Amino acid sequence: MTTPSPTFSGSADLHGVTLSVIAPCFNEEGNVDALVSRTLTTFDDMKVEGELILVDDGSDDNTWERISAQSQRDRRVNGQRQHGNFGIEAAWRKGLLVAKGHLVCFIDSDLQNRPEDIALLFKAYIQHVPDLVQAVRHPVRGLRRRKLFSRGLNILLNAAFGTRLRDNKSGFILGRRSSVQPLLEHRGTYRYFQSFIGAAAGARGYSIVEVDTQFDQRQAGSSFLSRFPILVSARIVWELLKFKLEARELSRANGRGVDWFGKSISLQGGTA
């Protein structure tokens, strides 16, 4: 599946950073340089003032050295460092703290999500202005087992949360910063909260536009799923059940016009 990168007239006239792309990195020394090059080229093709925030999540290889080198080479690259491996959600939070863009995009750093497809998510946002744009990943050959795993979990998520998303657990998303940030507000502790990002949006009543994208083979490093698939799957299912209970409480709070922590909210994610 090949998709060209669209261009957007007028975006370059906006003042300051328009789009902040946040990429958690754990032992991704072999992917950082390509991720930076392809993302910055995508910004250029889109004619958008963007920034790429790379969050090193306690890597024990040369990931931080590669991030530092890239941040010195181009002002659009912002390197952040976690002193410990706290997981993808913690890295997202770290990135959001320093993000300058009105819009934010989460993308994996392993290049399985194509940086060029950021343009497709951005275009969908411009056309529809939803609370969230979520990528629907179409795996290339050789990822059949991952595809079956994702489909099975997607069925569970849709059944548990009453959603109809085609790729509920996709963490390749784009939206207003003011809409994305509340999705990470929850009371429980989750190791794999990235798997519930679609469910979290559905629980808050967000409007969601789905965009078809290609999901490539990892070029370097290894996935946590390939190392511990059974343990990870069991943990995700357990966390799904726990988050279901939280989402039920959130739904009741929404009915009373209050948010997760008892503050007034806009059910459509607010305005920036």
Side-chain angles (χ1 to χ4, degrees):
M1 173 181 167
T2 303
T3 48
S5 296
T7 57
F8 309 95
S9 60
S11 297
D13 295 332
L14 298 175
H15 297 292
V17 175
T18 302
L19 174 63
S20 298
V21 176
I22 301 171
C25 303
F26 177 67
N27 291 347
E28 297 289 358
E29 62 179 357
N31 291 316
V32 168
D33 291 351
L35 173 64
V36 170
S37 175
R38 291 169 64 179
T39 302
L40 297 187
T41 297
T42 299
F43 289 158
D44 293 338
D45 291 343
M46 293 165 63
K47 296 181 173 57
V48 163
E49 185 66 29
E51 65 173 348
L52 175 59
I53 302 170
L54 301 173
V55 183
D56 180 12
D57 188 35
S59 300
D60 53 22
D61 63 357
N62 291 319
T63 294
W64 178 245
E65 285 73 17
R66 297 313 314 147
I67 291 175
S68 297
Q70 290 292 345
S71 63
Q72 292 173 15
R73 189 171 294 131
D74 195 300
R75 64 172 180 80
R76 293 174 292 177
V77 180
N78 181 347
Q80 298 290 316
R81 195 175 196 182
Q82 304 261 69
H83 294 286
N85 179 225
F86 302 115
I88 291 175
E89 186 192 4
W92 285 345
R93 291 177 185 275
K94 181 99 171 176
L96 284 170
L97 286 175
V98 299
K100 300 175 183 176
H102 163 68
L103 300 175
V104 296
C105 174
F106 294 159
I107 190 171
D108 291 344
S109 57
D110 56 15
L111 299 178
Q112 291 192 277
N113 298 138
R114 299 171 70 248
E116 294 78 12
D117 288 342
I118 294 168
L120 298 180
L121 273 63
F122 185 82
K123 181 179 181 181
Y125 179 84
I126 295 300
Q127 290 177 336
H128 303 284
V129 197
D131 295 309
L132 196 71
V133 180
Q134 185 173 39
V136 177
R137 300 162 298 171
H138 294 277
V140 298
R141 282 189 171 188
L143 293 174
R144 179 176 173 78
R145 188 173 67 172
R146 276 288 293 274
K147 186 175 182 178
L148 291 175
F149 170 81
S150 291
R151 280 186 175 179
L153 185 56
N154 194 61
I155 291 172
L156 283 175
L157 286 164
N158 279 331
F161 297 97
T163 53
R164 296 182 179 179
L165 297 173
R166 289 185 291 148
D167 194 1
N168 214 312
K169 62 184 288 291
S170 171
F172 188 13
I173 63 170
L174 183 148
R176 295 186 301 277
R177 188 173 60 205
S178 59
S179 295
V180 172
Q181 200 151 5
L183 297 180
L184 306 186
E185 295 175 1
H186 51 81
R187 292 175 178 171
T189 301
Y190 301 91
R191 180 64 179 175
Y192 304 113
F193 187 78
Q194 66 270 18
S195 298
F196 311 123
I197 199 73
R204 287 186 174 273
Y206 280 18
S207 58
I208 304 171
V209 169
E210 296 183 287
V211 175
D212 292 299
T213 64
Q214 182 170 300
F215 192 65
D216 289 339
Q217 289 273 14
R218 171 182 273 275
Q219 299 301 306
S222 61
S223 168
F224 67 90
L225 274 176
S226 64
R227 294 194 297 268
F228 312 108
I230 296 177
L231 291 176
V232 170
S233 300
R235 179 66 181 269
I236 289 176
V237 171
W238 161 245
E239 291 189 349
L240 183 158
L241 296 173
K242 187 167 67 170
F243 186 66
K244 171 63 176 176
L245 295 177
E246 287 209 43
R248 183 178 300 172
E249 183 180 348
L250 174 60
S251 179
R252 291 171 180 168
N254 282 349
R256 300 193 304 270
V258 297
D259 75 357
W260 203 250
F261 302 105
K263 302 172 185 175
S264 61
I265 62 169
S266 164
L267 294 183
Q268 290 301 315
T271 56

